[in-house]
Amino acid sequence: RLGIRMSDLFAETSDTAEAAVTARRSLGRVDRAIQVTTPNYDYHYLCTDLRQKRMIPIITRIRAHSAREFGELVHHQGEEFIYVLEGRIEVHSEFYDPVTLEVGQGIYIDSSMGHAYDVAGGFEEALVLGVCWSANDGLMDSLMSLHG
């Protein structure tokens, strides 16, 4: 009788406004990256001119060859995606059996779960592109604190 669908009658309205366009942008170049060298990895943090990012892009050269060589699993806020560019890696995590990734393969994980990446058999090093994400501010500080 009202000329509307029953679902429209009971649908909740959203009071949230559409997010404003921030027009943020940053060009990522390895030669302008922040480099951090650890016993296991060479990190190249990209797009560092853009502050308060929710995603942190990282090119990482992996040198550790076993979970034992790597040491304790790493935990940090957020989630991450790792994509293999060169070599082969083994992904170790707190709740799953290790998995091997080849060039062109990636994995998405909850970063609060302990995790580590090492070079799989037959390779000296591996190169990966990683993107870490968190809804909370301070992800870059959290990642940098892992390096000591």
Side-chain angles (χ1 to χ4, degrees):
R1 289 194 167 218
L2 296 175
I4 61 172
R5 298 183 317 223
M6 186 66 101
S7 61
D8 291 338
L9 184 62
F10 293 106
E12 292 184 29
T13 59
S14 174
D15 293 334
T16 59
E18 199 166 308
V21 174
T22 63
R24 292 163 44 109
R25 120 179 176 167
S26 176
L27 300 176
R29 293 177 39 170
V30 171
D31 62 337
R32 292 190 180 162
I34 291 179
Q35 294 181 295
V36 177
T37 300
T38 70
N40 297 315
Y41 301 144
D42 291 331
Y43 295 98
H44 294 82
Y45 288 90
L46 303 172
C47 304
T48 56
D49 59 323
L50 187 58
R51 302 292 180 211
Q52 299 177 340
K53 295 185 293 293
R54 298 293 170 112
M55 292 189 313
I56 309 293
I58 311 163
I59 298 288
T60 305
R61 183 152 310 272
I62 302 170
R63 292 187 310 278
H65 286 89
S66 68
R68 176 183 232 168
E69 181 182 336
F70 183 90
E72 282 189 48
L73 297 178
V74 174
H75 300 79
H76 56 86
Q77 66 183 12
E79 299 173 337
E80 66 190 79
F81 175 75
I82 299 294
Y83 183 84
V84 181
L85 300 170
E86 295 175 4
R88 179 184 308 129
I89 68 169
E90 193 165 79
V91 179
H92 302 271
S93 61
E94 190 172 3
F95 302 114
Y96 296 93
D97 289 336
V99 62
T100 301
L101 300 178
E102 309 276 341
V103 169
Q105 294 181 318
I107 190 167
Y108 189 106
I109 66 168
D110 173 352
S111 302
S112 63
M113 167 180 64
H115 59 283
Y117 311 114
D118 62 50
V119 180
F123 291 88
E124 285 299 310
E125 297 181 336
L127 187 68
V128 300
L129 168 64
V131 179
C132 295
W133 176 88
S134 176
N136 301 324
D137 289 335
L139 176 58
M140 187 68 171
D141 292 337
S142 174
L143 293 173
M144 286 297 179
S145 71
L146 295 172
H147 309 310

